[in-house]
Amino acid sequence: MPGAQDSRARVARRIATAAAYGGGGLGLLGVGLVGVLLTESKLAVQAIGVLETVPPKANGVYGEAFADRHAAPQAPLVLAVLGDSTGAGLGVARARETPGALLAAGLASVAERPVRLVNVARSGGRSADLSGQLEQALRHRPDVAVIMVGANDVTRHSPAQLAVRQLGEAVAALRANGCEVVVGTCPDLGTIKPVRPPLRWVARRLSRQLAAAQTIAVVEAGGRTVSLGSLLGPEFAARPEMFAADRYHPSAQGYATAAMAVLPSVCAVLGLWPEEERPSAAVPGETVLPVAVAAAAAAGRAGTEVAAVEAEGASRRWALLRHRLRVGPDSAREGGEGPGNTSASSHTGAGDG
């Protein structure tokens, strides 16, 4: 819907501009709206419930079996994962089922080189927590970082401008240290089944606005984004196994779907995605757009990558939308072939039970 995208683009640019110039204490929800929706919010929390578990520890070296045995040994690539429970893998029982492990194994298979996973994401994490996670991650000198954050900024009513600025600062700091960055933007919280109207409509609007503003900040800081959007939502009714017991966090299959949407961009940002294996379906309309328009379009289309396009006389104001080939969750199961293979034999990290 062009009208909705135009409106989202305007709001996203306004939020991102305020973030860049330190403006505003406006929350994602106005005070009056919070009061109206308070009852619905409490009912949604009760319906979702709480997972009485912690994410399995998945840090370690992946993909040694994929190394080219005819070439000189190479030091592992270092992949850092930052963000919230989605990055940490809350909801699964085995380390190899977490998105970090899936990404590390997939990257190793494409690079034909071991990958060391450093996961500092934490359940409940917000954009405000990225600075502390960043300090931990930079000790390991990561080559590439994946950040998944935003949902808790929406549900806990964080000021939008502040959350976007904190994310942009984290991306800029990683880039200043020679680390490539891919951000999985805020998911569409309107797709969660226990969230009912009118809260569902508000959650969808706010999460998409935040995702678009995140994209602007990330692209202008030198990173690229992948829209998680409603990636899991449409499959909920037909495939409840995509979600964990709380019907909010993904299950192993759900994490595989999300991780495989991000993996091609992680490989591409490192120059590892072969040109002939980078088919892309054009997003309706132009593929090179002003960054705010590109951000708005991506927020409504799950799996869409947004990256800066250098233009003469301009600085990160134009962006390319690309819907990369996504590896399906079936290839992420143990014993599968391709980038999603996370068999135990390829992992020497801790916590895989």
Side-chain angles (χ1 to χ4, degrees):
M1 299 176 63
Q5 287 187 10
D6 290 344
S7 175
R8 193 182 304 138
R10 287 194 299 272
V11 173
R13 171 52 73 187
R14 190 162 62 244
I15 293 171
T17 300
Y21 291 97
L26 292 176
L28 291 170
L29 288 176
V31 175
L33 189 55
V34 170
V36 172
L37 298 176
L38 183 59
T39 301
E40 286 85 348
S41 298
K42 290 181 178 179
L43 291 174
V45 170
Q46 292 172 1
I48 291 171
V50 178
L51 285 177
E52 300 294 340
T53 60
V54 296
K57 296 180 179 179
N59 288 352
V61 177
Y62 290 75
E64 292 183 314
F66 297 130
D68 185 349
R69 298 180 181 179
H70 301 291
Q74 293 180 292
L77 290 167
V78 180
L79 165 66
V81 177
L82 301 82
D84 55 23
S85 56
T86 305
L90 182 64
V92 299
R94 298 179 177 181
R96 66 171 179 258
E97 296 172 334
T98 62
L102 292 166
L103 288 170
L107 177 58
S109 70
V110 173
E112 296 185 333
R113 178 177 174 182
V115 173
R116 181 179 298 280
L117 173 64
V118 177
N119 195 328
V120 297
R122 293 292 180 268
S123 296
R126 291 182 285 178
S127 298
D129 300 311
L130 290 176
S131 59
Q133 295 181 13
L134 180 66
E135 184 177 346
Q136 298 176 57
L138 286 177
R139 296 172 190 164
H140 300 272
R141 298 182 179 180
D143 298 288
V144 61
V146 172
I147 303 175
M148 296 182 179
V149 74
N152 294 316
D153 290 304
V154 173
T155 60
R156 298 185 184 182
H157 318 318
S158 298
Q161 297 91 332
L162 180 59
V164 170
R165 183 166 74 248
Q166 290 162 338
L167 174 59
E169 288 171 349
V171 173
L174 287 162
R175 295 293 297 121
N177 282 272
C179 178
E180 302 290 349
V181 184
V182 177
V183 174
T185 55
C186 182
D188 184 349
L189 299 179
T191 64
I192 305 302
K193 191 172 183 179
V195 178
R196 299 182 180 279
L199 184 60
R200 177 180 297 173
W201 304 327
V202 175
R204 169 167 288 124
R205 178 173 61 86
L206 296 177
S207 52
R208 288 188 176 186
Q209 286 177 355
L210 180 59
Q214 287 177 320
T215 296
I216 295 172
V218 169
V219 170
E220 294 187 347
R224 64 180 68 188
T225 62
V226 176
S227 172
L228 297 183
S230 57
L231 191 67
L232 302 177
E235 300 194 48
F236 188 95
R239 297 184 62 191
E241 71 273 13
M242 296 291 283
F243 283 77
D246 64 352
R247 298 188 294 165
Y248 180 81
H249 291 91
S251 65
Q253 294 96 322
Y255 279 125
T257 300
M260 294 308 105
V262 175
L263 177 60
S265 296
V266 172
C267 295
V269 80
L270 293 171
L272 297 172
W273 205 245
E275 198 65 35
E276 66 272 18
E277 295 181 18
R278 294 194 304 178
S280 59
V283 174
E286 298 291 332
T287 55
V288 177
L289 299 168
V291 64
V293 179
R301 183 179 171 87
T304 302
E305 177 192 281
V306 181
V309 173
E310 299 295 340
E312 186 175 353
S315 176
R316 302 191 189 283
R317 297 297 179 185
W318 293 84
L320 172 66
L321 277 77
R322 178 185 287 114
H323 202 75
R324 291 187 181 277
L325 177 67
R326 191 170 81 236
V327 182
D330 288 344
S331 65
R333 295 172 182 166
E334 185 173 350
E337 296 181 357
N341 184 3
T342 57
S343 64
S345 63
S346 67
H347 176 213
T348 59
D352 193 2

